[in-house]
Amino acid sequence: MYNIILKKKRNIELSTEEIYKVIEGYTRGDIPDYQMSALLMAICFNGMSERETFDLTMAMAYSGDMLKLERIHNITADKHSTGGVGDKTSLIVAPIAAANGVSMAKMSGKGLGHTGGTIDKLDSIPGFRTELSEEEFIDCVNSCGMAIISQSGELAPADKKMYALRDVTATVDSIPLIASSIMSKKLAAGAKIIVLDVKCGSGAFMKNFEDAKKLAETMIEIGKRGDRKTYALISDMDQPLGDYVGNRLEVYEAVKILHGEGTEDLMDACLDLSAMILIGAGKAGDIESGRTIAKKTIESGEALRVFKNFIAAQGGDNTFADNPEILIKPTNKIEVKAGKTGYITSIDTEKIGLASMYLGGGRQKKEDVIDPDVGLVVHRKKGSFVNAGETLVTLFSKPLSNTEQALECISEAYKISPEMPSEDEASKKHTLAYLGVEDPGVDR
Ligand code: URA
């Protein structure tokens, strides 16, 4: 291990054998954390070649179970978001794909810090089971076209151990390490089509477009080497996606979209992601036609029908799907008003996510218990004009919420200026780039 660390420190490429030796040794517990930390830091500084990054990904994937989805009848797809605020797209995109004959066998994570997790949103549905056996998981996909379960500890255990170490050694923000971490789990989860939503902006890991593009390209290359159809879009996380942040509130917003209602940015994001899956499955030729199919699937009520079946198949009470208002539970509502008149020039999205976390909708530490009912609604987005005293955000709080901290986050998050935003900024779409498919351009 000493020689491998030295080699990486001197920026010399590691061989496939060396990479497997490190990952196998670390997973078994033969390599101590201090040596692994040194290697991770050397990777942060010197990076990895495409071949090294792929080897690292495969070594991590093979450290645990490799799911075989052969028993699933249709072509399988998975989607992954690099983490955002208000991102409930999986709850909408999976039913759209399933209604079009693409099986979504999806494993998701819990939220941590300012970002939410799909599993927490699903856990807010009474009776819904996010833990199924492999048998139940596959049966569920075959019966209703989709299933979403909590990622098992047996999937890429090397990544689990390494991620915990990276978290405390300031080695998270490395493109080869992030790409291999995400893709090891995606490759182990077995789907043939992988669609990646790489977020970019103040609420994301990648704060600028160039880094987000590099991360997306690195993951596409890994996917291709791993014999999966892999596509990515880069999307804006300079403001929350949709208007609702918080677990049950986000399920509410997802159901509204499945009814054909709801905010434009969220609908747009879901149509783009669905289009990529449909292209991968050979059911659409380009983004435009994929979006049209996805839109029709919502309008016909087919996506909602699949969603209802999926909730019931995993043990949940699906009555809310026809009457989403019952998801909004009584909480204390606090309106946060604009302090001055002007244009909203930026929203620090991380702070919006943290506000929801302080209310009790997210976790500061892994062990924290979350409250499904709390969260917030964003009434005003970037570029809009507001008068002093107009409501920007409504907080949904409970007695245990840290409302003071949440209020502080919201007031720090909004920047209001007398200057009108530039045309470029004002016309910015949610999807900033399409990778792996032809870019339809901004005027679609
Ligand atoms: N998500 C992951 O799964 N891994 C990373 O390294 C970063 C985000």
Side-chain angles (χ1 to χ4, degrees):
M1 185 63 182
Y2 179 92
N3 288 330
I4 291 173
I5 299 168
L6 188 66
K7 224 172 145 182
K8 194 72 247 167
K9 188 179 85 168
R10 292 182 175 158
N11 203 9
I12 301 168
E13 236 182 287
L14 302 180
S15 68
T16 303
E17 203 193 344
E18 284 167 328
I19 290 172
Y20 273 80
K21 227 165 126 177
V22 169
I23 299 304
E24 284 164 9
Y26 185 63
T27 312
R28 271 199 313 267
D30 296 348
I31 292 171
D33 280 352
Y34 55 82
Q35 284 191 311
M36 194 62 180
S37 309
L39 179 64
L40 291 168
M41 190 57 86
I43 293 171
C44 278
F45 285 127
N46 288 328
M48 282 187 135
S49 68
E50 273 179 11
R51 198 267 311 147
E52 280 178 301
T53 310
F54 178 67
D55 286 342
L56 178 62
T57 309
M58 292 315 287
M60 292 200 291
Y62 281 123
S63 69
D65 293 346
M66 296 289 279
L67 287 196
K68 299 257 179 302
L69 302 179
E70 290 136 359
R71 279 215 302 117
I72 291 179
H73 305 146
N74 294 329
I75 184 158
T76 49
D78 197 350
K79 89 161 254 296
H80 180 85
S81 144
T82 58
V85 177
D87 186 346
K88 61 284 284 175
T89 54
S90 291
L91 302 180
I92 303 156
V93 172
I96 294 174
N100 284 289
V102 184
S103 290
M104 294 291 287
K106 194 166 160 40
M107 293 200 179
S108 290
K110 297 192 173 194
L112 188 61
H114 73 280
T115 63
T118 303
I119 291 302
D120 298 324
K121 301 179 216 295
L122 289 169
D123 274 338
S124 76
I125 299 168
F128 192 89
R129 290 168 58 213
T130 49
E131 293 196 0
L132 301 180
S133 67
E134 194 177 326
E135 192 79 12
E136 287 174 316
F137 178 54
I138 290 178
D139 286 349
C140 188
V141 179
N142 278 337
S143 69
C144 54
M146 65 175 286
I148 304 179
I149 57 168
S150 186
Q151 203 165 280
S152 106
E154 301 313 311
L155 205 77
D159 172 66
K160 197 170 180 199
K161 221 174 149 190
M162 283 166 68
Y163 195 70
L165 188 63
R166 286 167 58 211
D167 211 19
V168 293
T169 55
T171 51
V172 169
D173 62 343
S174 145
I175 287 177
L177 293 180
I178 297 176
S180 56
S181 163
I182 293 172
M183 290 303 286
S184 63
K185 290 170 284 200
K186 293 291 119 186
L187 294 184
K192 291 279 176 263
I193 303 163
I194 300 170
V195 171
L196 303 158
D197 182 0
V198 180
K199 308 281 185 196
C200 159
S202 59
F205 272 114
M206 299 291 136
K207 305 289 178 207
N208 66 61
F209 182 81
E210 286 67 36
D211 285 346
K213 185 158 182 264
K214 181 88 190 74
L215 175 62
E217 286 168 348
T218 306
M219 292 196 286
I220 288 177
E221 181 60 32
I222 294 171
K224 283 191 177 152
R225 282 179 183 245
D227 201 21
R228 311 296 164 94
K229 288 187 173 180
T230 312
Y231 309 95
L233 54 79
I234 299 175
S235 64
D236 180 33
M237 230 336 117
D238 260 340
Q239 57 185 346
L241 182 55
D243 293 344
Y244 289 72
V245 181
N247 296 295
R248 206 167 267 152
L249 293 175
E250 292 191 37
V251 176
Y252 167 81
E253 194 173 27
V255 175
K256 292 295 268 186
I257 292 279
L258 290 170
H259 280 272
E261 299 159 25
T263 59
E264 204 183 313
D265 64 341
L266 178 59
M267 177 68 90
D268 213 33
C270 292
L271 296 182
D272 277 341
L273 288 163
S274 305
M276 280 191 161
I277 294 174
L278 295 171
I279 291 172
K283 295 181 188 279
D286 54 24
I287 292 283
E288 202 53 66
S289 59
R291 284 174 59 95
T292 306
I293 297 171
K295 212 165 172 190
K296 280 192 187 142
T297 314
I298 292 178
E299 284 164 0
S300 66
E302 267 303 285
L304 184 65
R305 186 189 60 77
V306 171
F307 179 80
K308 283 193 212 166
N309 290 344
F310 144 71
I311 297 294
Q314 290 194 221
D317 176 353
N318 66 6
T319 43
F320 69 89
D322 288 324
N323 182 16
E325 307 304 322
I326 62 173
L327 289 167
I328 313 279
K329 303 285 179 194
T331 51
N332 184 26
K333 297 196 180 49
I334 304 164
E335 296 194 346
V336 188
K337 316 257 187 205
K340 56 181 174 183
T341 298
Y343 293 93
I344 298 171
T345 50
S346 74
I347 302 177
D348 184 331
T349 313
E350 187 168 343
K351 291 221 163 78
I352 301 282
L354 287 175
S356 173
M357 184 194 79
Y358 286 125
L359 291 170
R363 296 179 186 82
Q364 269 173 288
K365 305 183 294 312
K366 277 201 196 86
E367 314 69 60
D368 289 350
V369 177
I370 59 177
D371 186 322
D373 298 328
V374 300
L376 52 93
V377 182
V378 175
H379 301 287
R380 294 309 210 114
K381 295 276 197 81
K382 246 172 53 175
S384 45
F385 182 83
V386 285
N387 287 305
E390 256 184 72
T391 303
L392 297 176
V393 168
T394 302
L395 303 183
F396 289 56
S397 77
K398 286 258 191 92
L400 289 179
S401 300
N402 185 343
T403 310
E404 216 170 284
Q405 286 261 38
L407 282 167
E408 201 176 307
C409 284
I410 303 293
S411 60
E412 286 170 3
Y414 274 84
K415 294 274 170 289
I416 298 175
S417 147
E419 310 288 324
M420 224 165 130
S422 69
E423 210 170 302
D424 265 7
E425 204 42 47
S427 61
K428 205 160 134 186
K429 294 241 176 222
H430 175 71
T431 299
L432 305 174
Y434 301 81
L435 279 78
V437 293
E438 210 174 303
D439 191 326
V442 289
D443 291 330
R444 48 152 206 265

